Amino acid sequence: MALPYHLLKVCGSTVFAAQGSDIHSFSSALEYISTWKYPVHIADEANVPSTEAQDSPAPEGPPAKRRKMDGGKESASNGQPKSKKAAQYIVPANERPFVQGLYATTDGCHLVAITGSDKTIWVFEHDGRGNLKLLSQRAMPKRPCSLTLTPDNHTILSADKFGDVYALPLLQSTTTTTPPTSDPIVVAPLPKSRSATPSTPAAPSTPTPLLLKPQGNELTVHTKRNLKALENQKISMDRNSKAQQDQLNGAAHDVVVFEHTLLLGHVSMLTAICIGTTSGSREYIITADRDEHIRVSRGMPQAHVIEGFCLGHEDFVSRLCVAPGGKARILISGGGDDDLFVWDWARGQLLGKAGVLEHVRRAVVAVEGEASTTKVAVSRVFGCRWEGATGVFVVVERVPALFRYELLEDNTLCHRETIPLPGNVLDVEMIEASGVAPPRLLVAVDPGASAEGLSSSSSLILLDKEEAGWRQSNVENLPAGADVNISTKELQKILYSTETLRKSSDFD
Amino acid sequence: MGGDKIKKDKRQKREDYRAAMRSQEGISELPRKKFYRQRAHANPFSDHQLIYPPHPDQMDWSSLYPDYVVDDEPQDQHTPAPETPSDQQDLAPLRPKRISKDVEVADIGCGFGGLLIALGPTMPETLILGLEIRVSVTQFVEDRIKALRAQDQDTKLYRNVGVLRANTMKFLPNFFRKGQLAKVFICFPDPHFKTRKHKQRIVSTTLNAEYAYVLRPGGVVYTITDVPDLHEWMVQHLDAHPSFERVSEAEQEADPCVAIMRTETEEGKKVERHKGQKYVALFKRLEDPAW
Ligand SMILES: C[S@@+](CC[C@H](N)C(=O)[O-])C[C@H]1O[C@@H](n2cnc3c(N)ncnc32)[C@H](O)[C@@H]1O
């Protein structure tokens, strides 16, 4: 099956577009330049030195197909490590993880990508003309859900599925060996921290003896409740030590060997992270979670101080957008609620709301003749300068339209128009044209969801605003994507994952 | 099969008992624990059917502390929501009935409520709240408070203690504003021995930031446990957090809450019976550094 383009990022004068696990680059006139392909072979170590980095464009043609080693009983009898992780390092083309996030430094010199199932952050050097050179790949302890770069472009802040935010240097220094740790508790740069990180880099041969030491014994545990917990621990330790032994015999892929610092954490899956800057040029880290919270913490090195929360959402928050153009104290958030929320984030104050569901229903009526939609999952909130004002473009999952809002001088957020499109919108970016030409929008759509199907319509559509309305043109001459063996169901699961953040109501 | 039947009968009995306890107003008979048992652990990561306000301003404290209700704008409670809510009304949701004081003391994972009941009369001017994730344990404490209040009609004791079902690891900021609390108790928390489960521990570097958020500068976190490794863990993690500073032993022993915490919680009593050790550590919330 040919895959749609599902992620867009403008980086300097280049447009990057992800399709499955590939990243294509285009000029700002949308002429195809090159493709970076997810490597089929990943070196044994999670941390690939840049000497092994692969240059782009990658050799054309589908990579040789390889069978994934069975992580189950069979491999155990072969004497192979039982760990599923170990098997993951030979990846058949159709099982390569999708690119789940694309980010660019403000100077356009680096592109950062997240791939999903392998929990990896990729940093590329961008030559300014659409060519990528892989500098590093870092497999995180938990799956990164969203990341942002500090304004100085030095640091990546990665927000993960487990609720934690890690800081990683964008560029890994080659001279110093960075102390690794698999235990997040000791990595925070807390001044009084009793134990700093271990000083030796964890080689695969460094076991973690702590895991094998029971915490408490029958003499130190007095209550039935705790005794039971201790018993359980012993049972699981017997199991664990076996697994650990297995792991030590194989490569210890779980050990994270690059510098990463735990900054803060929620006890909830993080969905979005961004940086807010106040007029005093102080930086704040703004994080959103599946449990309706938006948290405002101080920037580094005081990220352990929570300044406040923006509370009011009643369903998950999936997207955050600090308003552009001199409105940096305004935050717009969206998620599973019927409305977008407008905040003065530094004060934690709700300024207003703007309906989404009502406009989605209208758009759906226009297409289907009736409005069956009762809830929305906002999957993009994209702010930019638009016709001399602050424009906010909103994408809603599984809706074939783009919604344009405007943030007025008094910070009211107003719906301005709904732009119907031939397929569900997956992403949107603005392409600044040179000279006096007005900016254009680039939209990634899922043509699979439209009646015409993929053959007749493109997955990348340019939108030009003209007197009479929007002119839509398909981007032509897209590189032929690899034919990926993935079921429609699987693909949909990856492309439309926002709605899954909603809580089902049948838990106790 | 037989086992199932017995289980069912027991459950039915428990339910009947609890329903009876709850149907009678002003009942002064203390609830019996055996009718409120529940599975020992609730997973703090999963989505329980929890009720919590989206924002602390929307929290209705009136049913927990009815003696403290101030009845200005009594009409608020009765105005039905408008049919077509305009944006403005949406922003200012119906205000719950106000109470004259804010909760200032929280007992996190209060269990069967021994600490609340003992603390209440020692600080009658302060509102104290127990937070507990297990439903029936919370119900037990509710019924216990109700009964005690009914018993002490004249003295008006226990009017300042309340209990809520909540997952404190996720929703503390939904109930308390920044700096609202003066004391947070964490008594005999579940040890979560497994390393894999350390993020489930109620004290961790990242969660400590939330305790610092709800505590005012000068406020205190009280911890006690009988598990030496957990004690060490809590001390290490609170010590490592720049917002907290360990309280000296002299100051600790002079604090009357410490004695109560040692002897009055249900877990503390169990440890006592087993002649076990108890490890105490207090931490003061410091002012945030200049920024
Ligand atoms: C060992 S008991 C101690 C009870 C009481 N503090 C005492 O000392 O007797 C720990 C209690 O914390 C509760 N608990 C655990 N995680 C919690 C959470 N995330 N939110 C609220 N309560 C929690 C458990 O249900 C349990 O009742």
Side-chain angles (χ1 to χ4, degrees):
Chain A
M1 179 187 301
L3 301 175
Y5 288 62
H6 65 281
L7 264 180
L8 305 172
K9 191 79 231 166
V10 170
C11 179
S13 60
T14 303
V15 180
F16 289 99
Q19 180 189 30
S21 46
D22 297 341
I23 302 172
H24 305 292
S25 61
F26 300 86
S27 70
S28 55
L30 276 306
E31 290 140 353
Y32 170 65
I33 301 170
S34 70
T35 298
W36 174 80
K37 280 185 179 295
Y38 186 96
V40 177
H41 264 290
I42 300 181
D44 275 344
E45 284 304 319
N47 188 28
V48 176
S50 43
T51 48
E52 284 184 34
Q54 176 192 351
D55 283 14
S56 170
E60 278 306 312
K65 244 186 167 183
R66 267 162 223 275
R67 263 329 307 154
K68 185 173 174 179
M69 279 191 281
D70 193 328
K73 309 130 221 160
E74 194 192 314
S75 57
S77 61
N78 290 342
Q80 296 282 358
K82 224 176 170 179
S83 157
K84 241 170 90 192
K85 289 248 168 61
Q88 201 179 301
Y89 287 79
I90 296 174
V91 189
N94 58 354
E95 285 169 26
R96 287 175 298 171
F98 270 51
V99 177
Q100 303 278 23
L102 272 185
Y103 307 86
T105 53
T106 46
D107 58 13
C109 292
H110 293 92
L111 185 77
V112 184
I114 300 172
T115 48
S117 50
D118 62 347
K119 306 185 268 187
T120 299
I121 294 175
W122 309 74
V123 175
F124 302 93
E125 190 175 87
H126 175 219
D127 67 357
R129 295 186 308 268
N131 300 303
L132 293 178
K133 180 176 173 226
L134 178 61
L135 296 183
S136 67
Q137 73 187 70
R138 283 169 268 186
M140 298 299 289
K142 298 285 169 206
R143 184 188 188 133
C145 297
S146 172
L147 61 80
T148 189
L149 288 143
T150 52
D152 64 8
N153 289 327
H154 290 336
T155 308
I156 297 170
L157 303 183
S158 166
D160 73 26
K161 198 175 165 166
F162 219 42
D164 292 325
V165 174
Y166 287 94
L168 303 88
L170 177 72
L171 305 176
Q172 290 174 283
S173 76
T174 44
T175 46
T176 57
T177 30
T178 46
T181 176
S182 52
D183 182 359
I185 65 132
V186 288
V187 294
L190 304 176
K192 292 192 292 170
S193 180
R194 175 205 64 125
S195 62
T197 47
S199 51
T200 47
S205 60
T206 312
T208 39
L210 242 178
L211 289 176
L212 294 170
K213 180 181 156 244
Q215 305 198 359
N217 55 50
E218 287 81 355
L219 297 174
T220 59
V221 178
H222 308 284
T223 64
K224 214 160 80 187
R225 190 178 168 81
N226 289 356
L227 257 177
K228 193 147 215 170
L230 186 64
E231 264 164 38
N232 289 338
Q233 179 205 19
K234 285 187 172 152
I235 294 167
S236 84
M237 254 176 42
D238 289 345
R239 255 187 260 128
N240 281 345
S241 62
K242 168 119 187 25
Q244 256 188 358
Q245 216 40 53
D246 285 348
Q247 203 175 58
L248 291 175
N249 294 339
H253 287 298
D254 266 351
V255 181
V256 174
V257 290
F258 48 84
E259 184 182 345
H260 65 302
T261 307
L262 179 67
L263 293 186
L264 60 99
H266 301 211
V267 182
S268 175
M269 179 201 269
L270 290 178
T271 54
I273 182 168
C274 64
I275 291 192
T277 311
T278 54
S279 47
S281 80
R282 285 200 192 87
E283 286 165 23
Y284 293 84
I285 302 170
I286 310 176
T287 40
D289 71 29
R290 184 173 168 251
D291 288 297
E292 310 98 30
H293 299 117
I294 300 171
R295 185 195 284 192
V296 180
S297 308
R298 290 183 181 178
M300 292 186 294
Q302 287 192 32
H304 58 273
V305 177
I306 300 176
E307 280 295 334
F309 286 86
C310 298
L311 297 178
H313 275 282
E314 296 189 33
D315 218 309
F316 65 85
V317 185
S318 50
R319 286 283 158 170
L320 296 176
C321 170
V322 172
K327 285 199 165 282
R329 69 187 185 86
I330 303 299
L331 177 76
I332 300 160
S333 59
D337 282 315
D338 299 348
D339 303 306
L340 297 167
F341 285 49
V342 183
W343 308 92
D344 178 338
W345 59 262
R347 294 211 185 110
Q349 195 186 345
L350 180 60
L351 300 178
K353 296 185 193 179
V356 177
L357 179 64
E358 53 196 284
H359 302 294
V360 168
R361 286 174 67 88
R362 250 168 249 154
V364 172
V365 171
V367 176
E368 293 173 4
E370 57 175 338
S372 48
T373 316
T374 55
K375 53 191 179 192
V376 291
V378 172
S379 57
R380 294 286 187 279
V381 178
F382 170 71
C384 59
R385 292 299 295 164
W386 188 258
E387 295 177 334
T390 305
V392 178
F393 291 89
V394 175
V395 177
V396 181
E397 202 162 89
R398 293 182 191 274
V399 175
L402 181 66
F403 301 88
R404 181 168 73 88
Y405 291 76
E406 188 177 320
L407 185 64
L408 306 181
E409 270 319 303
D410 68 357
N411 298 324
T412 323
L413 189 61
C414 273
H415 173 263
R416 286 294 187 219
E417 64 181 315
T418 297
I419 309 165
L421 285 154
N424 292 344
V425 182
L426 300 174
D427 203 358
V428 58
E429 266 278 26
M430 186 183 67
I431 299 176
E432 212 92 52
S434 51
V436 286
R440 0 169 51 183
L441 293 175
L442 180 64
V443 190
V445 300
D446 177 6
S450 73
E452 298 101 281
L454 186 62
S455 47
S456 58
S457 63
S458 164
S459 167
L460 278 187
I461 295 173
L462 268 169
L463 293 177
D464 288 287
K465 180 113 195 198
E466 294 179 342
E467 292 284 308
W470 290 95
R471 184 164 56 84
Q472 297 187 12
S473 43
N474 290 344
V475 176
E476 305 289 351
N477 303 321
L478 295 179
D483 193 36
V484 174
N485 184 9
I486 185 173
S487 71
T488 310
K489 206 171 146 207
E490 276 303 301
L491 179 62
Q492 300 241 331
K493 222 167 93 185
I494 296 174
L495 294 181
Y496 304 112
S497 57
T498 313
E499 179 60 37
T500 62
L501 295 171
R502 203 181 301 274
K503 293 175 191 171
S504 74
S505 49
D506 45 50
F507 279 95
D508 166 41
Chain B
M1 277 300 267
D4 269 8
K5 176 107 178 30
I6 291 168
K7 232 189 202 159
K8 230 188 203 133
D9 286 351
K10 269 194 179 161
R11 192 195 304 147
Q12 191 56 51
K13 251 190 204 153
R14 286 201 292 261
E15 274 166 18
D16 292 348
Y17 177 88
R18 290 184 337 224
M21 280 301 282
R22 325 204 108 227
S23 63
Q24 290 159 266
E25 273 307 316
I27 192 167
S28 58
E29 184 202 334
L30 282 171
R32 281 187 288 160
K33 238 188 193 176
K34 67 172 186 180
F35 295 111
Y36 296 84
R37 299 254 181 242
Q38 196 185 350
R39 187 163 45 112
H41 291 278
N43 181 353
F45 298 139
S46 64
D47 305 327
H48 307 274
Q49 279 267 294
L50 291 166
I51 298 168
Y52 49 87
H55 188 286
D57 287 352
Q58 282 151 260
M59 178 63 196
D60 186 352
W61 297 103
S62 63
S63 58
L64 288 170
Y65 305 103
D67 282 34
Y68 294 83
V69 171
V70 281
D71 42 13
D72 58 338
E73 317 157 276
Q75 73 279 14
D76 265 14
Q77 278 293 308
H78 308 292
T79 342
E83 289 293 297
T84 48
S86 82
D87 271 5
Q88 265 333 88
Q89 267 152 333
D90 251 18
L91 284 184
L94 293 183
R95 272 192 172 276
K97 265 193 225 169
R98 291 200 307 121
I99 53 172
S100 58
K101 291 187 170 187
D102 286 337
V103 170
E104 288 179 284
V105 175
D107 182 7
I108 289 186
C110 69
F112 292 95
L115 182 77
L116 300 172
I117 303 306
L119 276 184
T122 69
M123 40 176 96
E125 300 304 316
T126 307
L127 295 192
I128 306 170
L129 181 70
L131 298 140
E132 170 55 53
I133 199 167
R134 289 184 291 167
V135 185
S136 58
V137 176
T138 312
Q139 280 176 7
F140 173 87
V141 181
E142 263 173 40
D143 294 346
R144 188 174 178 185
I145 293 171
K146 216 185 336 170
L148 285 170
R149 284 180 185 172
Q151 285 175 6
D152 288 88
Q153 293 286 3
D154 312 327
T155 52
K156 292 209 175 290
L157 291 177
Y158 308 111
R159 306 298 158 97
N160 60 331
V161 299
V163 69
L164 262 183
R165 182 183 181 214
N167 179 353
T168 61
M169 292 174 73
K170 285 185 183 229
F171 299 111
L172 226 38
N174 292 70
F175 294 103
F176 307 119
R177 294 185 311 272
K178 186 177 186 172
Q180 179 174 334
L181 299 181
K183 296 178 197 297
V184 167
F185 288 88
I186 303 175
C187 300
F188 301 96
D190 295 326
H192 294 295
F193 290 117
K194 291 179 220 166
T195 309
R196 186 169 57 76
K197 286 198 163 181
H198 281 177
K199 204 179 157 124
Q200 278 195 28
R201 283 188 171 166
I202 211 126
V203 167
S204 68
T205 317
T206 53
L207 255 181
N208 290 347
E210 289 204 8
Y211 300 135
Y213 170 79
V214 294
L215 271 171
R216 65 189 64 146
V220 177
V221 179
Y222 294 75
T223 73
I224 183 167
T225 177
D226 59 316
V227 182
D229 292 283
L230 182 58
H231 170 68
E232 220 173 89
W233 168 282
M234 293 196 287
V235 168
Q236 185 188 322
H237 285 76
L238 280 158
D239 239 348
H241 200 283
S243 302
F244 290 103
E245 182 180 82
R246 179 115 189 229
V247 171
S248 73
E249 191 155 349
E251 206 178 320
Q252 170 183 311
E253 294 310 313
D255 188 328
C257 294
V258 171
I260 295 175
M261 173 171 82
R262 276 208 180 97
T263 53
E264 299 297 330
T265 70
E266 277 73 13
E267 290 296 314
K269 285 182 177 150
K270 273 192 221 166
V271 175
E272 199 76 48
R273 272 184 258 124
H274 290 90
K275 309 218 171 3
Q277 286 271 14
K278 293 174 200 168
Y279 304 89
V280 173
L282 272 51
F283 290 86
K284 191 165 279 168
R285 164 74 155 100
L286 303 173
E287 295 274 357
D288 286 331
W291 175 240

